[in-house]
């Protein structure tokens, strides 16, 4: 079965790519080759795993029961076994294909221009005694709030209701969540084939 995953950014977000731009950005965002920001499916799946463990604890599952469900749905942590029956598969979460197509058709934009259309550069500093700490100025590329990202989750039909519940529990994604970045509303709806 397939679930359509919809994630709306309710605050600015930082889907870091682990790289920086010397002299420009200390934290860059994950973009495709055309410059459109996206959240990797594997990253989203890791966040889902955390919320699934919380959900199973709230459902009063024993440690063994919870571990068995997590392993069946998610696989063994660090493993790349895609053939396990019942294992959930999650695509990357991207901007809507119609929006991407419209932007590509309307203007001839470079990947950098496309990235800048959906993001902005924000600077931060650490404070020490009420003053900016020397050498602490950092910059991060932030994805603008209000954007919607979409993906697909493939799962067993008997797991769909639980997966939709867990998707609804995801409230924060990306880097600097503790500073208010990456607040999201996530839903999952069955795809009628």
């Amino acid at each position: 079965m397939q679930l359509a995953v919809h994630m709306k950014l309710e605050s600015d977000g930082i889907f870091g790519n682990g790289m920086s731009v010397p002299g420009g950005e200390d934290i860059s965002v994950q973009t495709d080759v055309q410059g459109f920001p996206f959240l990797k499916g594997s990253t989203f799946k890791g966040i889902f795993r955390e919320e699934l463990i919380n959900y199973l604890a709230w459902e009063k599952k024993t440690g063994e029961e919870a571990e068995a469900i997590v392993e069946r749905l998610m696989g063994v942590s660090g493993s790349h076994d895609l053939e396990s029956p019942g294992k959930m598969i999650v695509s990357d979460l991207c901007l809507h294909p119609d929006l991407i197509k419209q932007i590509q058709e309307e203007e001839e934009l470079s990947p950098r221009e496309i990235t800048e259309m959906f993001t902005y550069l924000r600077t931060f500093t650490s404070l020490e005694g009420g003053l900016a700490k020397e050498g602490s100025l950092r910059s991060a590329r932030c994805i603008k709030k209000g954007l919607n990202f979409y993906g697909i989750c493939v799962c067993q039909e008997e797991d769909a209701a639980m997966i939709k519940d867990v998707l609804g529990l995801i409230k924060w994604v990306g880097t600097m969540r503790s500073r208010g970045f990456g607040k999201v509303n996530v839903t999952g709806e069955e795809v009628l084939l």
Side-chain angles (χ1 to χ4, degrees):
M1 148 168 277
Q2 288 189 2
L3 296 175
V5 178
H6 173 217
M7 180 180 76
K8 180 174 183 173
L9 263 179
E10 294 185 342
S11 71
D12 296 337
I14 304 173
F15 306 160
N17 65 3
M19 298 170 59
S20 64
V21 176
E25 302 168 11
D26 294 300
I27 303 172
S28 294
V29 295
Q30 185 74 47
T31 60
D32 63 17
V33 294
Q34 298 168 332
F36 293 99
F38 72 97
L39 181 64
K40 282 182 159 184
S42 58
T43 301
F44 186 77
K45 200 170 175 183
I47 295 165
F48 181 93
R49 177 188 286 268
E50 291 173 16
E51 292 303 336
L52 175 61
I53 291 167
N54 292 335
Y55 175 85
L56 295 171
W58 295 325
E59 289 289 309
K60 307 272 192 249
K61 299 290 184 192
T62 67
E64 287 179 4
E65 289 173 321
E67 189 176 316
I69 292 169
V70 170
E71 192 171 303
R72 179 178 57 77
L73 268 182
M74 311 300 295
V76 177
S77 186
S79 166
H80 298 291
D81 176 21
L82 297 175
E83 301 300 319
S84 297
K87 187 171 177 188
M88 181 178 96
I89 299 170
V90 180
S91 72
D92 293 338
L93 275 71
C94 305
L95 296 169
H96 198 280
D98 292 343
L99 175 62
I100 292 172
K101 183 179 177 186
Q102 182 180 358
I103 289 169
Q104 291 170 330
E105 288 175 354
E106 280 187 19
E107 298 182 45
E108 194 68 33
L109 298 171
S110 71
R112 189 70 193 165
E113 289 170 320
I114 290 174
T115 299
E116 289 176 358
M117 183 182 297
F118 297 102
T119 66
Y120 69 97
L121 201 57
R122 184 158 174 182
T123 56
F124 306 88
T125 189
S126 296
L127 296 178
E128 190 171 37
L131 299 172
K133 186 176 175 182
E134 188 173 329
S136 68
L137 184 64
R138 300 286 180 263
S139 63
R141 183 145 301 271
C142 302
I143 301 168
K144 296 174 183 176
K145 73 177 181 179
L147 291 174
N148 293 287
F149 292 83
Y150 303 88
I152 294 290
C153 172
V154 178
C155 63
Q156 298 296 315
E157 190 170 342
E158 62 269 15
D159 295 324
M162 177 178 59
I163 289 172
K164 286 194 281 188
D165 286 346
V166 174
L167 287 172
L169 296 175
I170 297 172
K171 299 298 177 209
W172 301 93
V173 300
T175 304
M176 298 178 73
R177 292 179 273 190
S178 64
R179 293 190 179 182
F181 287 90
K183 186 173 189 330
V184 293
N185 181 11
V186 182
T187 59
E189 297 297 327
E190 293 177 22
V191 176
L192 301 175
L193 302 174

